[in-house]
Amino acid sequence: MHNAELDSIDLAILAELQRDARLPNKDLAERLGVAPSTALERVRALRRRGVITGFRASVDIARLGRPLQALLALRVRPHTSQLVDPLSAFVLSLPETITLFHVAGAEDFLVHVAVADAEHLHRLCLEKFLVRPEIVHLQTTLIFKSQHQPVQRPSDM
């Protein structure tokens, strides 16, 4: 379902839960101006429809000893379906990996990683990525600061 039909209450629920997924149902209902039973059923319906896919704790990766973040742009050859799944599984198995993107363009994959320091990043590139024969090019971009939009909503287009 690409375009879930969402009304103003659904959108308000999504905004509130994206700001604080631990918001008690009673407080959610109060913020929305609806009965707690209505809020609860609406949240359940959003989950059933696949609009809400889960609830997660946000973690400060720097406090886990990984303050340096980078994007690794990988070019692979041959770029085949037989190669994509094993490479994806490998990258996602690395504790340094935050997110893996399979992309179109000059590069085939973007890997968002977080490491302890520049030496750790250097070793990761040389000892984990560049030893793989299918990776023919790796470009590293350091991330100085990252920000994300805390509330996702439908496009106006």
Side-chain angles (χ1 to χ4, degrees), residues 3-156:
N3 186 8
E5 292 182 22
L6 304 172
D7 64 17
S8 61
I9 293 174
D10 291 332
L11 293 173
I13 288 170
L14 293 174
E16 292 296 337
L17 292 179
Q18 286 178 88
R19 286 187 193 100
D20 181 4
R22 295 184 60 182
L23 184 66
N25 186 64
K26 178 177 81 66
D27 296 344
L28 176 63
E30 186 176 299
R31 290 183 189 182
L32 300 173
V34 299
S37 59
T38 300
L40 183 60
E41 182 49 39
R42 288 294 196 108
V43 170
R44 286 179 177 160
L46 289 166
R47 292 189 73 190
R48 275 193 310 272
R49 292 167 49 200
V51 177
I52 295 176
T53 59
F55 297 91
R56 293 167 190 80
S58 295
V59 177
D60 183 341
I61 201 81
R63 292 185 185 257
L64 296 179
R66 297 165 48 199
L68 182 64
Q69 294 184 46
L71 289 176
L72 308 181
L74 308 178
R75 194 173 310 142
V76 298
R77 294 296 176 264
H79 190 177
T80 63
S81 57
Q82 293 84 11
L83 179 137
V84 168
D85 290 341
L87 181 61
S88 296
F90 165 75
V91 172
L92 291 171
S93 76
L94 298 172
E96 295 89 353
T97 300
I98 295 173
T99 309
L100 171 64
F101 301 96
H102 188 187
V103 298
E107 309 305 336
D108 300 310
F109 293 92
L110 293 176
V111 186
H112 180 191
V113 298
V115 294
D117 53 33
E119 178 58 31
H120 185 162
L121 181 60
H122 185 239
R123 284 193 325 273
L124 178 68
C125 291
L126 291 177
E127 298 172 9
K128 298 292 185 181
F129 286 95
L130 291 175
V131 296
R132 295 187 65 95
E134 70 271 28
I135 297 176
V136 297
H137 178 78
L138 181 148
Q139 180 176 329
T140 304
T141 303
L142 291 180
I143 298 171
F144 292 131
K145 182 178 180 179
S146 67
Q147 298 174 295
H148 78 280
Q149 175 61 264
V151 177
Q152 299 302 312
R153 51 196 171 271
S155 172
D156 292 335

